[in-house]
Amino acid sequence: MAMPSSLLWAVDIFGRVYTLPTVGQYWELCKDAQLEFKRVSAVKQCCWGIACDHQVYTYVFSGDVPIRYQEETYENQRWNPVGGFCEKLLPSDRWQWSDVSGLKHQQLDSFTLPSPHWEWESDWYVDENIGGEPTEKGGWTYAIDFPSTYTKDKKWNSCVRRRRWIRYRRYKSRDVWAKIVSHDDPDRLPDPFNDISTGGWEITEEPPGRLSVWAVSLQGRVWYRENVCHHNPEGSTWSLISTPGEVAQISCGPYDLLWATLWEGQAIVREGIDRNNPQGISWSTVESPSSENGIMHVSVGVDVVWCVTKDRKVWFRRGVNSHNPCGTSWIEMVGEMMMVNVGLNNQVWGIGCDDRTIYFRQGVTPSELSGKMWKAIVCGRESDRSQTGSSTSLLSAGCFFTDDIQNHTNAIIQGDADTSSDTELSSIPTNFSSTPPTGAAASSTGSQAAGAPASVTVDPLDSDQEAPAASANNEKAHLESRKSTNPNPPAELQWTNIDLKEAHRHAVLSIGTFAETSSLSSLGMFSVGAEEQYGADEHPLWAWVSGGGCLVDLHSPLKWFAVPSGLSSSVQSLSLSITPAQTAAWRKQIFQQLSERTKRELENFRHYEQAVEQSVWVKTGMLQWWRNWKPHKWMDVRVALEQFTGSDGMRDSILFIYYMFHEEKKYIHVFLNEVTIIAEVLKEGKHSFALYTPERTKQRWPICLAATTEQEMHDWLSLLTMSCCESRRIQGPPSHQAIWSVSCKGDIFVSEPSPELEAGPQPMPCDQMFWRQVGGHLRLVECNNRGVVWGIGYDHTVWVYTGGYGGGFIQGLASSADNIYTQSDVKCVYIYENQRWNPVTGYSSRGLPTDRYMWSDASGLQECTKASTKPPSPQWSWVSDWYVDFSTSGGTDREGWQYAADFPASYHGHKTMKDFVRRRRWARKCKIVTNGPWLEVPPVTLWDISIIPSSDADDEESVALWAISDKGDVLCRLGVTQQNPAGTSWLHVGTDQPFISISVGAFFQVWAVARDGSAFYRGSVSPKKPAGDCWYHIPSPQKQKLKQVSVGRTSVFVLDKNGNLWYRQGITPSYPQGSAWDHVSNNIRKMSVGPLDQVWVIADKVQGSHGLSCGTVCHRTGVQPMEPKGLAWDYGIGGGWEHITVRGNASEAPRSSAPNACESPTEPMGSEGNGRRGKTERSRTPLLVSERQEVDRNAVNC
């Protein structure tokens, strides 16, 4: 199966492994049915398990991106006066075949596959690349001696040379249970194992996908699996970890939490786990919560610990965190369980002691880690689908009620009864000796031998109203479980009033007390006759559950607790046969018919006079305004929006801002049909937004207003945005030609381009473009002129545009009712800890008076402590604690420090004698949940994406879409069409190194940039051969490392890491790689080349009236076939913009034959030019920049 986004894993009493998707309602049986398992431990990308033969197996999901590992070795040669370079080396030299250091002997035939689960992709071949530059044929690099700095050029003193040989191996055992073999003896493990746990993926991001796998043998010894990561999913060897006693069971959390249980009943906690020592250092002992009954089972999460004692009581450990992994005390929870399991986000599952049903702990939040109540999962199995009709679908989940029982239960448990069929099935006997008494939260069910099973049907929504109305305590919780029918039930079930009990014991009757004595034993001992397939009316009996790969989204209700819908199989098959493409075609046809009908109806009434000629509508409010004069500060103002409806039915609006100046009342006004953008901004922690007009865009000085609450700000934003769209007669979703952009905040904006935008000799100024916001939150957006739009979030999640509009704060008439979905994004907030070296104390937090703050931002100009740093806006919430970031550019030491001679300087990851200061970066993750016209495209996460700016083609013709995964793999999306923009699957395109940027041109020219800054061209890409055949290495501009590439119709532009924009010369159909690079401009952050070869960029250091502005949208003017680089820059909206794409704008205006001699010559942004102006230049000088001028700190940045 392809890797889904989230799965709950479970093992039934017969050893069969099932999975339950968070978006599904049915348990699906794992493919490998021959194996029987005892236990499994799952994470997102894989699952580890112990089979009944006590051997360890791993199940790795198949995916569009293969798991590849690069083997390498070096061939070394020395120059000989007689024969030149040869294989004869000096006795003191390295081996002829060695690793990169020369210390290890590595011949080509010495490399073998680590296990039968791998296969070779190809034979050995020479790497002809060094540091992003192509080498001469043969791949040799030269040096004076071993070891030294190698160059691609042979010199007169080059006495040695070497070249790198590469071979890839691929992991092939995916979607199957792969046996973990021992290298010492492939037929035996160190010990037979009886428990396993996986976790630790949050300890470090290097290497990618790293996991901690812990196992317990039958002899009570603990083993750790070394080197488990993405490119080595089975690990390498088992290491024995010493323990203070014989261990029975173990549990590992996502971070550094590891608990185990001893046979004597105590728990032991591993301390000292970190990125440099994932195995930990020592053990600490924690006593059982009950002196009579020891701990039988334990499970840990991020900062929680749950356990089950030998009397089946469930306990929660209080006070657990990174600094105190042992916690402080135990709290008893209601219910009796065989085992519990903590999954992602500290969500908890358990298996009932008597009924073997899986329960989910509802109400677990960061503020209430213990949750509120247990709720039974009533999903049926996938195999039951074919056996269920409209009424028997209830039986497939093991649930059936007659009318009187269901009505009675509804009165008992308010809010927990799901709407279901009340149809009585006369063919199914029901045997209820008595109805449950009032106050009972458990329903009576039959065992396998007696009667039909039954269960309370429950509401999938988690709310505080789920407790019975009879309860006087809001914290009262119930265990909704299936119990055997008892012919002599007690008069009343004694339940506790609260779900949290301190460690002293209360006299509470066990649930198991009321179980039928002839029911299945809770110890799991079954007769031979019981080991047969479940009937269609029986729920599975579970032995183990694992939620380590199950992400429960609190904003999306689960379907696990509701009886599967009673649709007949014919209706289900009909609904499943309707494809998204057919649905989109129907909608398009209906929309066209409605449009034609509207036009026809309006024509009949065109001669009628308007009933209302004109009306005025006013909205007023109190806001704050960032005043124009110095000192700049916020001042209270009264704001009035006046909206006029003219005789033609069109509306226009004026915004008045009234303020006091030297005790005199004054005002400024803005015509909303002149407003070019309304954007939410971050300014001094206020709920603020900015209004731009063309004149204020030139000045880089918008009107900034702030509201007292976030809701008030969103109300004004929604109203003003809708008024602006009405004034400009813009409504509905963006067109296929729209220009998309993303601000530094992640807000998404679109602009409808006019045909004059790309026309010469007098193009429309881009500061007059109107931008409107689209709901959602993304890092980048890419589009084409056929309406295919994809986006990537800060957490690398992929989203596809649904065709809707609105979302976020845009509600009502300005937003579409459908095609709006919940969207989330996660990003990191960074702060820096700075220290200076002191001759007495060494490095300390006491710096010089002229130094930066000891806790600061990256610039060092603003103080940012852990306590004072807040999420970017109130919409964001923290989802992690502060942690040291070891992925900082330049490298770090083992503790995350970077060293330099002074602040600010170039930092490096090792200490030298001249380093007197150091810093380290701390990160904390935050999450935003919003909505917009976006649907997730799981499961591959991406770094970059490019869609072909296609010409007029058939709607059903596939669209070329290329992407780079967050690990650097190159992918090609198959099945992308205008009707199905999400496509069907990924096709992996092999590379020798990770890539960071890719772009596909209008004629399938695919260019890419590798992580080392080198450029590549993909040959022979066509609609019939979507992946092409091979990569051609293109030399980079001299001494420059590239970071982005964009290809239009014929033009190719690249951007280097120093902000320089380059154009590729000499590209022809017969020689598509081009010949040379030509410099165009500097101070560029991002760029986009469109289907007309138009060039748009996000530029830094653009001149404004108050200083320099960073993150400004700029348009390259004068782009013509004879002048593909263009002539000058036209400046648009900004600053505070991060990304722009014009790949959809193929609207071509008639080109004039007159030569465009009016623009100024090429002038790099950031340099002082002569500012020459010609005929078409507007009445302002070009916004050229002086490097000596500082960036304006009052300018609005998102």
Side-chain angles (χ1 to χ4, degrees), residues 8-12 16-20 27 40 351 358 542-546:
L8 179 67
W9 290 71
V11 182
D12 69 1
R16 291 187 288 259
V17 180
Y18 289 84
T19 58
L20 177 63
W27 291 98
V40 293
I351 296 181
I358 295 179
W542 300 107
W544 196 262
V545 65
S546 175

Side-chain angles (χ1 to χ4, degrees), residues 269-290:
V269 184
R270 192 67 171 171
E271 295 185 342
I273 295 178
D274 57 29
R275 69 187 303 271
N276 298 315
N277 190 8
Q279 299 180 12
I281 299 174
S282 60
W283 295 98
S284 297
T285 303
V286 175
E287 293 298 326
S288 170
S290 169

Side-chain angles (χ1 to χ4, degrees), residues 702-935:
I703 296 174
C704 282
L705 298 170
T708 53
T709 65
E710 185 181 25
Q711 184 60 48
E712 185 183 4
M713 177 190 68
H714 285 169
D715 290 342
W716 276 103
L717 277 171
S718 180
L719 177 61
L720 293 173
T721 300
M722 187 167 64
S723 300
C724 288
C725 292
E726 288 178 345
S727 300
R728 293 178 178 266
R729 297 168 175 80
I730 295 177
Q731 61 180 354
S735 70
H736 293 178
Q737 312 287 330
I739 299 175
W740 295 72
S741 68
V742 181
S743 72
C744 296
K745 285 180 71 276
D747 295 329
I748 308 154
F749 294 87
V750 293
S751 178
E752 300 296 337
S754 91
E756 294 78 23
L757 192 61
E758 302 296 341
Q762 293 186 346
M764 169 187 164
C766 64
D767 58 16
Q768 296 182 10
M769 297 169 60
F770 173 68
W771 298 87
R772 56 176 172 145
Q773 189 167 347
V774 174
H777 188 276
L778 295 171
R779 178 176 61 87
L780 64 86
V781 178
E782 281 300 325
C783 64
N784 78 343
N785 62 338
R786 290 172 60 187
V788 179
V789 184
W790 284 48
I792 301 176
Y794 280 84
D795 58 357
H796 308 298
T797 303
V798 190
W799 304 87
V800 64
Y801 176 60
T802 62
Y805 58 98
F809 64 83
I810 307 167
Q811 304 295 334
L813 297 177
S815 177
S816 59
D818 55 356
N819 291 327
I820 302 295
Y821 302 94
T822 301
Q823 183 184 16
S824 63
D825 203 359
V826 177
K827 69 177 182 180
C828 289
V829 174
Y830 300 104
I831 60 175
Y832 288 83
E833 180 184 5
N834 307 299
Q835 292 186 353
R836 178 173 286 277
W837 186 78
N838 187 300
V840 178
T841 60
Y843 285 103
S844 70
S845 298
R846 186 170 296 178
L848 300 177
T850 56
D851 275 345
R852 57 181 57 192
Y853 295 102
M854 291 297 101
W855 288 88
S856 71
D857 61 355
S859 67
L861 300 176
Q862 292 187 358
E863 185 176 16
C864 301
T865 63
K866 290 183 180 179
S868 65
T869 303
K870 300 292 189 288
S873 74
Q875 295 174 283
W876 294 82
S877 58
W878 295 121
V879 292
S880 76
D881 204 350
W882 290 104
Y883 61 92
V884 176
D885 183 15
F886 294 90
S887 59
T888 313
S889 176
T892 66
D893 64 3
R894 290 173 62 90
E895 295 181 347
W897 292 104
Q898 292 184 306
Y899 299 86
D902 202 355
F903 299 121
S906 177
Y907 295 91
H908 43 267
H910 56 277
K911 186 182 182 306
T912 65
M913 293 293 293
K914 297 180 181 179
D915 294 329
F916 295 99
V917 298
R918 68 177 183 177
R919 71 172 188 181
R920 64 177 169 183
R921 188 164 76 171
W922 291 77
R924 192 176 188 184
K925 293 180 180 178
C926 55
K927 183 177 183 179
I928 186 173
V929 178
T930 180
N931 58 3
W934 305 95
L935 270 178

Side-chain angles (χ1 to χ4, degrees), residues 82-144:
V82 178
F85 284 101
C86 64
E87 301 173 356
K88 293 183 178 180
L89 302 172
L90 299 178
S92 58
D93 279 341
R94 56 183 60 191
W95 304 92
Q96 181 200 345
W97 294 90
S98 70
D99 63 353
V100 65
S101 67
L103 302 177
K104 184 180 179 182
H105 188 204
Q106 290 186 163
Q107 289 185 309
L108 293 180
D109 56 4
S110 66
F111 289 87
T112 58
L113 294 173
S115 75
H117 308 306
W118 292 85
E119 62 183 359
W120 292 112
E121 267 192 5
S122 62
D123 206 350
W124 290 96
Y125 63 94
V126 175
D127 179 23
E128 297 182 349
N129 171 53
I130 174 174
E133 293 291 329
T135 63
E136 297 295 332
K137 198 67 177 175
W140 291 105
T141 57
Y142 301 86
I144 298 176

Side-chain angles (χ1 to χ4, degrees), residues 53 62 74 82 172 240 252 278 316 568 583 599 769 805 856 969 994 1020 1047 1070 1104:
D53 58 0
S62 65
Y74 287 83
V82 178
K172 64 179 182 179
L240 181 63
C252 177
F316 174 82
S568 65
T583 305
K599 291 178 182 178
M769 297 169 60
Y805 58 98
S856 71
D969 297 293
S1020 303
V1047 187
S1070 60

